[in-house]
Amino acid sequence: NKDKIDPLNATTSVDLSISKISNATGGIVNVSDFIEFIITASNDCDYNATGVYVLEALDFNYLGRDYTWEATEGTTYNGYTWVIGNLNARETATLKIRARVIAPGNFSNYVEIRGYDPDTNPDNNNVTVNITANPVVDLAITKEVDLDSDVVYYGDEIRFIITVVNRGPCDATNVNVTEELSPYINMLYYDADIGDYNVTEGVWHIGDMAMGEWARLIIYANVTAVGNISNVVVVNSTEDDRDPSNNRANITNITVE
């Protein structure tokens, strides 16, 4: 009256979980900003976990390859996988990534934790962080007046030269320059290599400017009254400008005698 059963293999189950946060307020950053991700891997049970690793692939369409990282001692990261190894019961490991945003758009960052042991709660094994990267530009403007001195006479012709350049890092859209001429002069004609100048509105409508592109407007005018001629030009676009200090330019006052 004997019976025999096969040996039973007892396996250990664990509960791995992953969390991820970023320093992007509301998930919004600007191109050229540095974004930081903090990923925390946890073993939420009373058994040690083995062969633990995290899938964390950076999207290099939006993030620079010159990223930096720091992590819990003994773990490694290569831009795609964070290798942890053994994660003891109730312990955590942390990975911090710092990367520069290089392109505008919406992108997601997905992380997933895995290991050799069965997981009792796979629902907390992955998380996604959504990021919106807004474009930014650096529009710079200069204005010159083609005169030998700061004194002119009634009837003289004056030439103004306004130059705009988009220093990037993104393309600029709906670029406009406010250029209201002095009441002491009358425009004869203008020459714009991009866009159109509306003297009634006092606006040079440039339109779109690619990164690195420049535009020039030359206004030819004659002096029609005695007084002091002053002039300020201001450039703007749809995108945020990371250096507004160079969005404005003016000429030295010109005296009409």
Side-chain angles (χ1 to χ4, degrees):
N1 298 327
K2 293 183 179 180
D3 197 4
K4 179 181 179 181
I5 62 172
D6 294 330
L8 298 177
N9 294 321
T11 59
T12 300
S13 296
V14 297
D15 181 14
L16 297 175
S17 65
I18 193 81
S19 67
K20 181 170 187 174
I21 60 174
S22 79
N23 66 337
T25 303
I28 298 174
V29 294
N30 290 329
V31 173
S32 77
D33 284 350
F34 280 90
I35 189 169
E36 290 186 353
F37 298 111
I38 299 177
I39 303 99
T40 303
S42 303
N43 181 3
D44 300 325
C45 74
D46 295 324
Y47 301 99
N48 296 338
T50 60
V52 180
Y53 62 99
V54 174
L55 302 178
E56 165 57 297
L58 297 179
D59 190 338
F60 294 120
N61 293 312
Y62 297 95
L63 301 175
R65 292 184 179 272
D66 55 346
Y67 68 91
T68 60
W69 65 275
E70 56 182 282
T72 299
E73 186 177 358
T75 68
T76 61
Y77 178 64
N78 62 4
Y80 301 93
T81 305
W82 175 28
V83 178
I84 298 173
N86 296 335
L87 190 59
N88 292 334
R90 304 296 174 182
E91 287 193 352
T92 62
T94 303
L95 169 66
K96 178 189 284 188
I97 302 170
R98 187 172 189 263
R100 184 169 51 90
V101 181
I102 61 173
N106 299 312
F107 64 98
S108 298
N109 187 264
Y110 172 85
V111 291
E112 181 179 343
I113 189 168
R114 297 178 179 179
Y116 294 159
D117 309 292
D119 196 302
T120 60
N121 183 19
D123 291 341
N124 58 9
N125 289 171
N126 62 78
V127 66
T128 299
V129 174
N130 297 313
I131 301 294
T132 297
N134 290 327
V136 292
V137 296
D138 179 13
L139 295 175
I141 190 168
T142 60
K143 180 165 186 176
E144 305 170 66
V145 57
D146 188 12
L147 290 175
D148 294 330
S149 70
D150 56 1
V151 176
V152 295
Y153 298 93
Y154 181 89
D156 283 355
E157 184 173 307
I158 301 177
R159 186 176 69 157
F160 299 106
I161 304 170
I162 303 100
T163 304
V164 176
V165 61
N166 178 13
R167 296 175 177 170
C170 299
D171 297 342
T173 60
N174 194 31
V175 180
N176 291 300
V177 173
T178 302
E179 165 58 299
E180 296 182 6
L181 297 180
S182 166
Y184 300 115
I185 63 175
N186 177 63
M187 187 183 77
L188 301 173
Y189 60 97
Y190 74 88
D191 181 17
D193 51 19
I194 300 177
D196 297 294
Y197 175 59
N198 187 315
V199 66
T200 303
E201 294 179 357
V203 178
W204 174 23
H205 299 281
I206 297 177
D208 297 344
M209 294 186 72
M211 180 183 68
E213 188 176 7
W214 61 272
R216 179 167 293 168
L217 170 67
I218 303 176
I219 297 175
Y220 300 85
N222 64 347
V223 179
T224 57
V226 175
N228 291 317
I229 299 173
S230 61
N231 185 258
V232 176
V233 289
V234 180
V235 64
N236 61 74
S237 71
T238 301
E239 295 73 24
D240 288 337
D241 196 299
R242 59 179 181 169
D243 182 12
S245 66
N246 56 14
N247 294 165
R248 183 184 180 94
N250 61 279
I251 61 170
T252 303
N253 285 355
I254 302 169
T255 301
V256 181
E257 296 184 349

